[in-house]
Amino acid sequence: MLDLQKQTPVVTNRDEQKTLEQQELTTQEAADLLNVPESYLVKLLEDGDLPFKKVDTQPYIGLEDLMRYKKVRDDKRHKLLDEMMLLNEELGFYDE
């Protein structure tokens, strides 16, 4: 189970003996944490953008891997937004 308001994992019964680094999430739990549709997350797995392991037919994503992916994704977004803001300032969109 995930506490989405805090964007932090909550240890469930199946994971209570594991550290946070050892926890594994279902595709739906991982998608919820990234705030993306599950189908998009599955595409990330299929494209090799996010490591996972399969148990029977169900893919599981390591929490540590997911949080690393999220940080890289968020850092890229922030960098692009900063660049866009600088460009807008250079073009005079923020002049008074």
Side-chain angles (χ1 to χ4, degrees), residues 2 16 24 29 34 36 43 57 72 78-80 84:
L2 299 172
E16 67 186 357
E24 295 172 342
E29 290 170 329
L34 293 179
V36 298
K43 178 131 176 54
T57 60
V72 169
H78 289 293
K79 184 178 182 227
L80 287 172
M84 287 173 53

Side-chain angles (χ1 to χ4, degrees), residues 26-45 50 61 66 69 73 77:
T26 65
T27 53
Q28 185 60 63
E29 290 170 329
D32 290 346
L33 189 62
L34 293 179
N35 197 28
V36 298
E38 185 178 14
S39 59
Y40 178 79
L41 184 106
V42 169
K43 178 131 176 54
L44 291 175
L45 300 179
L50 192 55
I61 300 96
L66 184 71
Y69 173 84
R73 180 198 68 177
R77 284 180 176 176

Side-chain angles (χ1 to χ4, degrees), residues 10-92:
V10 175
V11 177
T12 63
N13 285 339
R14 76 178 158 93
D15 288 328
E16 67 186 357
Q17 298 300 318
K18 297 180 179 182
T19 65
L20 289 179
E21 293 80 22
Q22 294 170 323
Q23 283 188 16
E24 295 172 342
L25 306 173
T26 65
T27 53
Q28 185 60 63
E29 290 170 329
D32 290 346
L33 189 62
L34 293 179
N35 197 28
V36 298
E38 185 178 14
S39 59
Y40 178 79
L41 184 106
V42 169
K43 178 131 176 54
L44 291 175
L45 300 179
E46 291 171 348
D47 291 346
D49 295 331
L50 192 55
F52 69 98
K53 75 175 192 177
K54 276 195 174 186
V55 177
D56 294 324
T57 60
Q58 175 68 39
Y60 286 91
I61 300 96
L63 178 61
E64 189 172 29
D65 291 330
L66 184 71
M67 297 313 289
R68 188 179 307 113
Y69 173 84
K70 184 178 185 306
K71 179 171 179 10
V72 169
R73 180 198 68 177
D74 292 349
D75 289 348
K76 285 180 185 177
R77 284 180 176 176
H78 289 293
K79 184 178 182 227
L80 287 172
L81 286 172
D82 288 344
E83 290 173 5
M84 287 173 53
M85 194 166 68
L86 286 173
L87 182 59
N88 283 333
E89 287 175 358
E90 289 173 8
L91 293 173

